[in-house]
Amino acid sequence: MADFTPVSLNRMDTARLAAYRTNLDFYNGSQWQQTSRNRQLVFNYAKVSIDKITSFLMQGPGFACYPAGPLSLRGAERRSNLENEEARVRRVEQLLRQVYEDNDLQQLDYETEIDAAILGDGCYKVIWDTDEKRVRVTAPDVSGVFAWWLGDDMSRVWRVASRYTLTRDEVQMLYSGVIVGASPLVIASPLPPVILVSRSPEWSEGEAKNLPGLKVNSAKQPQGIATSPRLVGAPRNDKVVVTELWTARDFQLYLDNDLIDSRPNPYGFIPFIIFPNVKKPKQFWGESDIPILVQPQRELNRALSQLSRILELSGNPIAVLENVASAEDIKVQPGALWTIPEDAKAYLLDLLQGGGVRLHVDYIDLLYRSLHDISELPRAAWGGVERDLSGSALRIELGSLIQKVIRKRTIRTNVYHRRNAMVLRLAEKYMGENFEGVNHRVVWGQVLPQDADRQAQTEQLLVQAGVHSRRTAMDEMGVQDPDEEFTRWLEERKKILEMNREFKAPSTRSGTRERVIAADMEVPE
C-alpha cells in the first residue's frame, strides 16, 4: 500500500460526494432552487416517502440457524454428532441475538436504511472491541468511505479507506494516555484502534500510561512513523483527520497525512460491508431514492405556494375603482363608507370566481398522483383506501410497493448474511468458539399486515403435509428461538400426558391428543 496517501482521497469520487450533499439537503427541506421574498412553502413528500418505504422494508428482519447438511453417520455416533451440531446451532443463535441486543441493531439498521435511501449507499463496520471483549457493529458515514475493486468484478473489494475527523478534546478524551516525550513510543494493540501520538511536556517516556485495550512498549519508534505536527501546539478545537486503510492482509492508520501505525490485519478480512440502496447496472455505488422525486416535489411546492398566495389575497380583497382619477382612505373593512363620483364604480376583486381554485386543486391532485406513481408508494400505503378491499385486492393495489421492497430486500439479505458471518468469524477468533457445520439465513417479516390465524393454519398444513418442519414454521411465524420454544412444548406435552395417566383423563384420537379434563383433576389433600 505504498502508493496510497490520504491526500489522494480528496480527488476521489467527487461527483458521488457532491450528490450525497445535494440529496441530503433536499431531504432536509432545501428544495427551492432560488430564494425569494415571496412565500415559498415546502411540503416535504420526499422525506415522508423515504421514511414510509423504510418502515415497510424493515418489517421484522431476523435470522435462522441450522446444521450445514445431513449426517451420513449411523447409530450412537450419529446421535452424538447430531447433539453437538444442535448445541452449536443454539450457540450461534444465542451469540447473534446477543450481538443484536448489545449493538441495538434494530435501531442502527433503521437509521442506516434511511441514510442509504437518501445518499444511495450504506456501510457497516464489524470489529472486535478489546475493552468490552465483544463484537461491535457500527455504521460509518459512507461519505468518508472509499473502495477499490478488481477490474470489472465489483464484488471483489480489495481495499477500503475510512476517513473521519476528531477534535483535540476528543483525542484527549479517548486516548489521553497516548502522550509521549521527546522519544516517541510505539503503541501496540491487538485491534487497530485510533492511535494518536503527540508531544507534551507533562509526560516523559518513563511516565507513559497504558490505555484500556492497549499496551505501550518502551521500544523506540521505528523509522517511517512520525508524529503529526498538528497535535504539537495545536489549538484545543483544532480538527484532526484520521484515515484507516484496510486490506485483507494489512492495516494502516494515518493522522492527517502522517503514517502513525502499520501492521498485519488481525482479522484476516476487510471489516467493512459497503452496499447500494438500489443497484445500478455495472456500477459499484448505488442510486438514491431522491433524484427521481426532485422535479415533481418542486412543482408541488410551487403549486401549493401559488394557491396559498391566491387564497391569502382572496381573504384580503383588493378594492377596484373605475372612473376615479384619484382616491384616498379607501379601506376594505366592515362598516367602511366610500365616497366616489356619481359615474364611478367600485367593487372587490374576486380571485376565486369562475372556479379558478378548482383548476389549481385538480393540478395539485395530479402532482400527488405523479408522486405516488414515481415513488412506488400508492395512496393505499398511506391508509387512503376509499373502498373495502379483500386481501388479494389490497395486495394488487400495493403491488408497486411490494416490488420495491423486494428489490431492496434482495440486496439487504446478502448484506445481513455477510455481517452475521463476520460476527461469527470474530467470535471464533477472539472467543474460542467453533461454529463449523452451522449455516444461517436472513428471515424477513411480511410486507403487508397478515391475518395471524390464517397464517398459523397455513403453517400447520405445511407441517402436516411434510413440506417443511415445525422449526421452519416457527421461523416464518416470527418466533425468536424456535428450538427453545419447541423444547418448552415438549415439556408441556410430557406433563400433560403424565397428568392424563395420573387422573385417568379420557383422550381422543387413540390417546395421541393430550387433554386434561378439569372435573377429573382432583388434587389429593
Side-chain angles (χ1 to χ4, degrees):
M1 297 188 289
D3 59 333
F4 174 82
T5 58
V7 179
S8 63
L9 298 180
N10 298 331
R11 301 185 297 272
M12 286 187 61
D13 298 338
T14 55
R16 173 174 69 93
L17 300 181
Y20 285 172
R21 290 189 292 270
T22 301
N23 294 336
L24 186 59
D25 291 341
F26 195 89
Y27 174 84
N28 289 328
S30 299
Q31 299 177 356
W32 287 87
Q33 292 178 291
Q34 296 178 349
T35 59
S36 171
R37 291 181 298 177
N38 297 325
R39 180 178 301 169
Q40 292 181 322
L41 301 178
V42 175
F43 292 83
N44 204 341
Y45 180 91
K47 179 181 185 301
V48 180
S49 66
I50 286 179
D51 295 346
K52 175 68 70 173
I53 191 65
T54 303
S55 298
F56 279 102
L57 172 64
M58 299 306 294
Q59 287 288 340
F63 54 87
C65 303
Y66 49 91
L71 295 176
S72 59
L73 302 175
R74 297 179 180 275
E77 188 175 0
R78 174 185 174 87
R79 288 194 298 271
S80 177
N81 287 348
L82 182 60
E83 292 175 357
N84 292 336
E85 283 195 354
E86 290 178 350
R88 284 199 295 269
V89 168
R90 292 183 57 81
R91 175 56 183 153
V92 169
E93 290 181 337
Q94 293 172 358
L95 175 65
L96 291 178
R97 193 172 295 110
Q98 186 65 42
V99 170
Y100 271 59
E101 293 175 358
D102 291 343
N103 293 277
D104 195 11
L105 290 189
Q106 183 177 6
Q107 179 67 26
L108 182 67
D109 289 343
Y110 182 83
E111 294 174 358
T112 304
E113 287 303 326
I114 292 287
D115 207 37
I118 299 170
L119 304 180
D121 302 287
C123 181
Y124 287 109
K125 183 180 181 182
V126 185
I127 60 174
W128 177 255
D129 190 328
T130 56
D131 294 337
E132 300 184 12
K133 305 299 181 184
R134 66 178 179 91
V135 178
R136 182 174 295 278
V137 181
T138 59
D141 184 0
V142 73
S143 62
V145 176
F146 304 83
W148 291 259
W149 53 89
L150 294 177
D152 59 350
D153 188 355
M154 288 170 288
S155 64
R156 299 177 61 187
V157 177
W158 68 274
R159 183 166 70 178
V160 171
S162 176
R163 183 172 62 177
Y164 49 92
T165 59
L166 293 175
T167 64
R168 184 179 178 87
D169 291 337
E170 291 171 337
V171 170
Q172 294 179 351
M173 178 180 63
L174 296 175
Y175 308 101
S176 58
V178 188
I179 304 176
V180 297
S183 300
L185 304 180
V186 178
I187 310 301
S189 171
L191 168 66
V194 180
I195 302 170
L196 306 176
V197 180
S198 66
R199 300 176 184 273
S200 173
E202 292 123 1
W203 291 86
S204 64
E205 180 176 343
E207 295 174 325
K209 292 185 177 180
N210 291 337
L211 293 176
L214 300 179
K215 182 176 67 176
V216 181
N217 281 336
S218 60
K220 300 295 182 180
Q221 187 179 22
Q223 185 177 2
I225 300 180
T227 57
S228 172
R230 294 187 61 176
L231 280 182
V232 182
R236 287 188 61 84
N237 293 327
D238 193 21
K239 295 286 186 178
V240 177
V241 179
V242 179
T243 304
E244 299 179 10
L245 189 65
W246 294 83
T247 67
R249 294 187 304 175
D250 302 309
F251 166 80
Q252 290 182 354
L253 183 70
Y254 292 84
L255 184 62
D256 290 333
N257 295 322
D258 297 324
L259 178 62
I260 301 301
D261 189 27
S262 179
R263 69 185 66 189
N265 185 344
Y267 305 144
F269 61 88
I270 299 176
F272 287 85
I273 303 173
I274 305 171
F275 62 95
N277 171 52
V278 177
K279 188 72 175 178
K280 289 182 180 180
K282 310 302 179 183
Q283 298 290 328
F284 179 82
W285 301 104
E287 184 175 17
S288 169
D289 291 346
I290 291 290
I292 198 172
L293 300 175
V294 170
Q295 290 188 6
Q297 174 69 75
R298 284 175 174 166
E299 186 63 15
L300 176 66
N301 293 339
R302 186 203 63 78
L304 287 171
S305 298
Q306 184 180 41
L307 180 59
S308 174
R309 289 195 293 268
I310 291 174
L311 294 176
E312 182 181 20
L313 290 175
S314 299
N316 299 279
I318 300 173
V320 180
L321 303 178
E322 294 183 359
N323 300 325
V324 176
S326 63
E328 295 181 358
D329 298 331
I330 299 297
K331 297 181 179 180
V332 179
Q333 61 184 15
L337 298 177
W338 298 350
T339 303
I340 58 176
E342 183 177 355
D343 58 345
K345 183 179 180 181
Y347 59 92
L348 298 178
L349 180 62
D350 186 5
L351 298 178
L352 305 181
Q353 65 181 353
V357 172
R358 185 72 253 174
L359 295 176
H360 291 275
V361 173
D362 291 342
Y363 181 60
I364 291 173
D365 289 340
L366 180 61
L367 289 175
Y368 268 119
R369 180 176 177 179
S370 300
L371 281 168
H372 290 322
D373 292 344
I374 292 174
S375 64
E376 300 182 73
L377 275 174
R379 181 60 188 167
W382 306 84
V385 181
E386 299 177 356
R387 60 190 186 279
D388 293 335
L389 298 175
S390 65
S392 299
L394 182 61
R395 192 174 186 87
I396 295 174
E397 183 82 11
L398 296 174
S400 59
L401 167 65
I402 296 174
Q403 292 169 2
K404 186 172 185 177
V405 169
I406 290 176
R407 290 199 303 271
K408 290 194 174 189
R409 283 186 175 182
T410 301
I411 299 173
R412 299 332 184 254
T413 298
N414 181 54
V415 171
Y416 295 155
H417 187 272
R418 290 175 56 195
R419 187 175 70 181
N420 289 343
M422 288 184 180
V423 170
L424 297 181
R425 289 185 63 178
L426 292 178
E428 287 181 330
K429 181 178 180 63
Y430 293 101
M431 300 174 64
E433 300 283 358
N434 179 18
F435 300 135
E436 183 181 359
V438 178
N439 288 342
H440 50 88
R441 64 185 178 94
V442 178
V443 179
W444 292 97
Q446 297 292 335
V447 179
L448 303 181
Q450 299 292 313
D451 186 346
D453 294 338
R454 184 170 182 178
Q455 186 180 5
Q457 293 175 2
T458 302
E459 294 298 332
Q460 181 182 9
L461 293 176
L462 293 175
V463 171
Q464 291 176 351
V467 176
H468 62 215
S469 65
R470 290 173 180 261
R471 194 181 195 287
T472 302
M474 286 190 281
D475 285 335
E476 297 299 330
M477 291 291 295
V479 178
Q480 291 292 331
D481 194 341
D483 287 336
E484 180 65 25
E485 196 67 28
F486 185 63
T487 301
R488 293 174 181 174
W489 180 85
L490 290 176
E491 293 175 353
E492 290 179 357
R493 182 175 182 272
K494 181 180 178 181
K495 290 180 180 179
I496 290 174
L497 293 176
E498 291 176 353
M499 294 172 70
N500 285 339
R501 288 192 296 267
E502 181 179 355
F503 298 108
K504 298 180 181 180
S507 59
T508 60
R509 296 185 184 179
S510 302
T512 58
R513 183 183 181 119
E514 58 273 14
R515 297 183 60 190
V516 175
I517 302 201
D520 294 335
M521 293 178 58
E522 299 179 359
V523 180
E525 297 180 359

